[in-house]
Amino acid sequence: MTETWAKTACILCECNCGLEVLAKDRTLLKIRGDKEHPGSAGYTCEKPLRLERYQNGSHRISSPMRRREDGTYEEIDWDTAITEIAAKLAQIKETHGGDKIFFYGGGGQGNHLGGAHSRALMSALGVRYISNALAQEKTGEMWVDGKLYGGHTKGDFEHSEVVLFLGKNPWQSHSFPRTRPTLREIAKDPARSMIVVDPRRSETAEMADFHLQVRPGTDAWCLAALLGILVEEELLDQEFIAEHTTGTDPVLDLLRQVPISDYAARCGVAEELLRATARRIGAAKSVTTYEDLGIQQAPNSTLVSYLNKLTWILTGNFGKPGAMYLHSAFAAVAGGGAKPKKVTPVTGARIIAGLIPCNSITEEILTDHPDRFRAMWMDSVNPAHSLADSQRFREAMRSLELTVVIDVAFTETARNADYVLPASSQFEKWEATFFNVEFPVNTFQLRPPVFDPLPGTLPEAEIYARLLRELQAADQELLDSLTAAAHAGRAEFTAAFFTALGQNPKLMGLSPYLLHETLGTALPEGQRGAAIVWGLAQICAMTNADAVRRAGFADGNALFDGIIAAPQGVKFTVDEWEHVWNYVRRPDRRFTVEIPELLEKLDELRTAPVPGVSTEFPLVLSAGERRAFTANTIIRDPEWRRRDAGGALRISPQDAEELGLTSGDSVRVITEAGSAETGIEITDMMRAGHISLPNGMGVDHPDHGLVGVPLNELTSLRHKDEFAGTPWHKYVPARVEKV
Ligand SMILES: Nc1nc2c(c(=O)[nH]1)N[C@H]1C(S)=C(S)[C@@H](COP(=O)(O)OP(=O)(O)OC[C@H]3O[C@@H](n4cnc5c(=O)[nH]c(N)nc54)[C@H](O)[C@@H]3O)O[C@H]1N2
Ligand SMILES: Nc1nc2c(c(=O)[nH]1)N[C@H]1C(S)=C(S)[C@@H](COP(=O)(O)OP(=O)(O)OC[C@H]3O[C@@H](n4cnc5c(=O)[nH]c(N)nc54)[C@H](O)[C@@H]3O)O[C@H]1N2
Ligand code: SF4
Ligand SMILES: [Mo]
């Protein structure tokens, strides 16, 4: 076969940098950054260069599998799998109601079209409860965002004078376009400053002008002190506050009372350093902040998200170059479908952005409550590895009447499922993500398949379509008339589709399926898997009409055609900075600064004890550090890793000495939930008392066995945020013993 260069994207983190790949037969021979990609412009880090380890290898599965009584699996054909699964879903819906079928996942770092297709199955079944990984990291922030301005914010880091990274190590974890060049530019420019709040001297902290090396889990005191100083030293932007916010007075009153010296002592950061940091923020023309897992998976996380946002709001760092912004979206990553419920059926936990808190999932299953979930659908996720307390989650899976996993590999989760359905890889089908969060220019890339599906596998679009056909989810007459319209022409189809939806709004939920079955058959050969994007493009063009037009697309049809024609990605919205207020979802376009529940928590900080350690567990384990070669569990082959192949436990020289450890030793890490053996790396990156293990390790591979620590054998469901229910993976009390 000939070698051809094709355009695609990296699937290992949410940046989705554009790639060009040299493909031959079924392999990825060479991989390089795509200079034509509108967001990454040729940039990549070291991780995608051997994506071949994802695409091919003994981890891939190529037949549907059914679990036997004894826990082993047998291969079955697709027809059998679809018929049996559809029958069981229908029976559970009939007996217990569709709301007892829980959907988890629907996409990872590179693939969101499968999740979009799954919406049609949910709609047909009457599913009401869903969740995904966002509900173990971002839902606290989302709750705060909802109260403040009703949208998602990000920063214009590239042009920012001062950037603040809060529990975020972008050198390794990235998360914004061309991360490393941007960090390097900030670090070398004497007129710009980088502030990092992290107990660890991370690669990013190493580059920073201000490193606030907090005690683990004490960020609330640190940020409260920082805000206290901003208020006390009159470093706020009063004009911005008067013009763009409401409810700010009670917040300022409380911040005036912050005992600054006391809080500095509690978080372990020198007061003078905090004051210098506050002054730098106050004097800057533009400031951006990025909060991530270091605070989102640690004590007081929702409160800390709020304090983070107050830092840039009260200093007027919104809606100008180099500052924070709200933005357009190609399609939503969260959102609970038609009418999301407010609390979970069994434990009454708060549902945020339509998502059940991850730490509640097990408790919604392992109970005899009549409203418990009876079935769980898992697509493109590995919850038996990624959710807190793996042991209990496995028990929960086995107690359900039906569990189905769709994955490319026989994962930890697949090994506990009743049925496992093999998906085509992200290079074998049309794919895209909805991590489109830039402003003033926002981009979207629809990636065509590089290869045909691995024999035996199916793209998710086809899996969901087969199930929905089996369930007879749509009226045949409707399908026939839409198909005829699609063959007549785009204008005819557009009119027919919207007329059908107008006559029966309930069809909205089924539209991914309808598009696949009708428009999909009229698209040029091989493009059927892109049909769903036609629907998303229509919604996007209606929601952001002016910005889409400024990007050069007259309407949804033009946008869809433009997307198909540009496999390197398109700019789908173009804004000016003054348009940013259009994205603030408030009738008065102002920020609602007062959040009473969180002000109460802020006030309680004075008397609340700082999270501490015990004699039984004297160390704090950060369970899930992003390193040079980790990528959740997307790549299972340990030979992919060029460095730190075993995933060592990082420990400070002081702690190592106290425990009598030297380089090369093995240790046992013990927590209240479990224990694991691992090698160590003694490094002064770590603060005394703080240890860390990498994420994404401890998965089983047919040729290499299990390498590294499966972290969630060490975590428990109990430790979680009181508002959002997000786990404290960065704050796991632990002890270490030499073995
Ligand atoms: N290389 C790589 N990159 C990735 C991923 C990957 O698997 N590998 N995963 C992607 C995903 S899904 C996500 S969500 C992001 C996450 O990206 P990050 O949140 O940046 O990643 P982490 O390393 O988990 O945590 C960031 C920092 O929090 C610090 N930290 C620990 N405890 C505390 C604390 O109490 N307070 C503060 N202030 N900091 C603390 C840690 O020392 C660490 O440096 O990364 C994305 N990018
Ligand atoms: N202790 C601890 N736990 C954590 C974290 C931590 O830091 N510490 N981090 C958390 C965070 S931030 C996140 S985002 C989660 C991530 O955890 P999960 O959301 O569970 O996802 P991944 O580990 O990314 O697993 C993705 C799965 O998708 C499969 N896959 C890949 N391509 C395809 C495809 O095309 N189709 C289908 N159907 N499947 C595919 C992969 O084989 C893999 O099994 O983990 C969380 N868990
Ligand atoms: S930054 Fe993320 S998306 Fe870009 S190349 Fe690295 S891992 Fe892939
Ligand atoms: Mo994540």
Side-chain angles (χ1 to χ4, degrees):
M1 268 200 49
T2 51
E3 297 176 2
T4 44
W5 283 96
K7 287 186 187 289
T8 183
C10 177
I11 59 162
L12 297 178
C13 88
E14 79 242 41
C15 289
N16 303 128
C17 298
L19 298 180
E20 289 187 298
V21 295
L22 183 64
K24 191 186 177 195
D25 301 329
R26 299 201 56 84
T27 59
L28 295 165
L29 282 185
K30 282 188 192 155
I31 296 178
R32 65 185 183 209
D34 181 8
K35 294 198 176 73
E36 286 180 352
H37 188 275
S40 58
Y43 174 79
T44 73
C45 68
E46 63 272 53
K47 288 194 292 295
L49 302 180
R50 292 190 297 154
L51 270 172
E52 176 60 16
R53 302 273 168 167
Y54 159 82
Q55 167 61 20
N56 289 309
S58 55
H59 63 282
R60 289 287 305 268
I61 47 173
S62 56
S63 166
M65 283 182 284
R66 183 175 57 201
R67 190 182 170 98
R68 297 192 189 96
E69 283 287 329
D70 66 358
T72 60
Y73 286 80
E74 61 191 331
E75 297 191 348
I76 53 175
D77 60 58
W78 273 103
D79 285 345
T80 309
I82 297 291
T83 322
E84 289 187 10
I85 293 170
K88 287 191 185 177
L89 286 170
Q91 178 249 313
I92 292 170
K93 175 178 153 82
E94 176 75 29
T95 318
H96 304 294
D99 61 342
K100 307 300 182 304
I101 305 171
F102 173 56
F103 269 55
Y104 187 71
Q109 304 292 306
N111 54 325
H112 293 166
L113 291 190
H117 279 283
S118 76
R119 293 289 169 145
L121 181 58
M122 289 184 211
S123 170
L125 294 171
V127 168
R128 301 298 301 276
Y129 297 99
I130 67 169
S131 198
N132 61 40
L134 290 169
Q136 46 83 72
E137 47 172 328
K138 299 281 173 282
T139 32
E141 179 179 13
M142 288 172 166
W143 190 69
V144 173
D145 281 343
K147 303 252 172 211
L148 290 173
Y149 34 68
H152 174 259
T153 52
K154 201 157 174 206
D156 179 16
F157 306 104
E158 196 187 339
H159 303 106
S160 203
E161 183 180 323
V162 170
V163 297
L164 186 160
F165 296 116
L166 181 60
K168 169 82 191 161
N169 179 20
W171 183 264
Q172 294 300 15
S173 64
H174 288 80
S175 305
F176 50 90
R178 301 180 66 257
T179 304
R180 286 178 182 172
T182 304
L183 292 175
R184 277 199 211 97
E185 279 159 29
I186 300 169
K188 76 162 193 262
D189 187 343
R192 302 172 74 186
S193 299
M194 197 188 299
I195 303 164
V196 171
V197 185
D198 196 314
R200 193 168 67 93
R201 211 178 66 244
S202 65
E203 293 83 352
T204 313
E206 188 74 59
M207 305 173 86
D209 303 277
F210 301 83
H211 179 198
L212 313 188
Q213 202 168 7
V214 283
R215 240 178 236 135
T218 63
D219 297 79
W221 287 271
C222 179
L223 281 202
L226 197 69
L227 281 158
I229 298 165
L230 287 169
V231 174
E232 187 193 84
E233 299 196 10
E234 298 184 6
L235 298 166
L236 305 184
D237 185 338
Q238 295 297 348
E239 218 173 289
F240 182 93
I241 291 173
E243 205 177 325
H244 295 298
T245 71
T246 56
T248 309
D249 288 343
V251 179
L252 296 181
D253 284 346
L254 212 54
L255 290 175
R256 246 174 238 118
Q257 297 165 37
V258 166
I260 295 165
S261 309
D262 176 36
Y263 282 16
R266 291 212 229 173
C267 70
V269 179
E271 182 177 342
E272 260 326 296
L273 180 57
L274 280 168
R275 287 195 182 270
T277 307
R279 286 172 202 144
R280 185 66 189 94
I281 291 172
K285 277 203 201 66
S286 60
V287 178
T288 48
T289 75
Y290 200 121
E291 59 164 270
D292 216 338
L293 302 184
I295 65 106
Q296 294 185 335
Q297 297 187 332
N300 294 309
S301 56
T302 303
L303 172 61
V304 178
S305 284
Y306 181 46
L307 300 179
N308 163 36
K309 281 149 204 291
L310 288 178
T311 308
W312 56 260
I313 292 174
L314 298 178
T315 54
N317 281 295
F318 178 82
K320 58 184 181 186
M324 302 298 292
Y325 56 74
L326 281 101
H327 53 82
S328 61
F330 187 74
V333 275
K339 273 182 247 135
K341 303 260 191 183
K342 288 203 157 62
V343 296
T344 61
V346 174
T347 64
R350 181 185 273 125
I351 292 177
I352 299 171
L355 304 174
I356 296 227
C358 288
N359 274 43
S360 301
I361 293 171
T362 306
E363 311 301 306
E364 299 287 324
I365 297 171
L366 282 179
T367 160
D368 53 14
H369 193 288
D371 292 336
R372 69 186 179 274
F373 296 138
R374 310 291 172 135
M376 187 164 172
W377 190 270
M378 289 155 278
D379 181 349
S380 196
V381 278
N382 192 1
H385 184 277
S386 61
L387 297 187
D389 199 342
S390 307
Q391 172 62 35
R392 230 172 121 67
F393 181 75
R394 288 190 292 265
E395 280 166 37
M397 271 186 84
R398 293 310 316 140
S399 78
L400 288 164
E401 291 174 28
L402 175 68
T403 47
V404 180
V405 163
I406 304 180
D407 206 298
V408 297
F410 197 51
T411 64
E412 290 61 33
T413 308
R415 286 156 210 223
N416 291 282
D418 297 324
Y419 292 90
V420 184
L421 302 178
S424 305
S425 86
Q426 295 179 47
F427 302 108
E428 297 168 348
K429 63 197 174 205
W430 291 87
E431 257 308 351
T433 65
F434 307 141
F435 291 135
N436 321 103
V437 292
E438 302 306 317
F439 183 91
V441 174
N442 208 352
T443 67
F444 175 73
Q445 182 185 14
L446 177 66
R447 294 128 47 192
V450 178
F451 306 110
D452 289 336
L454 176 70
T457 68
L458 290 176
E460 286 80 354
E462 180 61 26
I463 298 177
Y464 288 109
R466 289 189 184 189
L467 282 161
L468 287 158
R469 282 175 214 144
E470 180 70 23
L471 289 164
Q472 299 184 332
D475 183 53
Q476 194 55 45
E477 249 171 66
L478 172 70
L479 292 174
D480 292 343
S481 72
L482 287 176
T483 305
H487 285 276
R490 190 65 63 71
E492 287 82 350
F493 179 76
T494 310
F497 190 75
F498 283 107
T499 306
L501 284 193
Q503 282 165 356
N504 182 4
K506 281 197 187 134
L507 290 177
M508 186 68 190
L510 272 185
S511 38
Y513 172 60
L514 299 178
L515 292 172
H516 183 264
E517 298 298 89
T518 64
L519 177 66
T521 64
L523 291 174
E525 172 82 22
Q527 287 186 13
R528 188 173 190 178
I532 188 171
V533 175
W534 178 88
L536 300 173
Q538 302 299 325
I539 298 171
C540 175
M542 283 188 258
T543 319
N544 308 286
D546 292 339
V548 167
R549 229 173 282 128
R550 280 191 292 269
F553 305 110
D555 57 17
N557 277 317
L559 179 57
F560 176 65
D561 291 337
I563 288 169
I564 293 273
Q568 73 275 18
V570 295
K571 300 174 178 175
F572 73 95
T573 50
V574 173
D575 279 297
E576 299 290 336
W577 277 96
E578 75 220 40
H579 300 131
V580 79
W581 292 98
N582 297 340
Y583 296 105
V584 174
R585 269 172 241 140
R586 289 282 178 279
D588 60 359
R589 303 274 188 223
R590 279 166 169 265
F591 292 170
T592 317
V593 172
E594 183 182 8
I595 306 182
E597 298 94 320
L598 291 176
L599 289 177
E600 204 175 293
K601 288 286 139 197
L602 175 60
D603 200 28
E604 282 171 18
L605 284 182
R606 273 180 231 255
T607 47
V610 171
V613 289
S614 62
T615 39
E616 193 187 4
F617 300 115
L619 302 168
V620 174
L621 168 68
S622 185
E625 183 184 296
R626 269 65 187 164
R627 295 187 185 167
F629 282 94
T630 67
N632 291 348
T633 64
I634 305 164
I635 298 191
R636 301 178 65 86
D637 182 347
E639 294 205 332
W640 168 67
R641 298 197 169 85
R642 280 267 155 90
R643 265 170 272 153
D644 188 35
L649 176 89
R650 288 183 168 155
I651 186 165
S652 70
Q654 299 95 305
D655 289 329
E657 197 186 319
E658 212 159 285
L659 292 160
L661 301 173
T662 50
S663 257
D665 279 349
S666 283
V667 297
R668 179 158 287 282
V669 188
I670 302 150
T671 67
E672 88 177 21
S675 78
E677 218 176 289
T678 167
I680 57 165
E681 178 191 336
I682 301 171
T683 164
D684 58 10
M685 259 189 163
M686 301 307 295
R687 206 190 135 105
H690 195 209
I691 51 177
S692 94
L693 279 167
N695 74 314
M697 308 271 306
V699 295
D700 201 6
H701 187 272
D703 307 332
H704 305 284
L706 189 130
V707 179
V709 176
L711 295 175
N712 290 310
E713 305 291 340
L714 299 177
T715 58
S716 80
L717 293 169
R718 221 154 54 81
H719 302 296
K720 59 180 181 186
D721 185 68
E722 67 178 290
F723 287 93
T726 42
W728 292 0
H729 287 327
K730 304 288 149 165
Y731 197 93
V732 183
R735 79 171 174 273
V736 165
E737 289 168 4
K738 189 170 170 166
V739 295

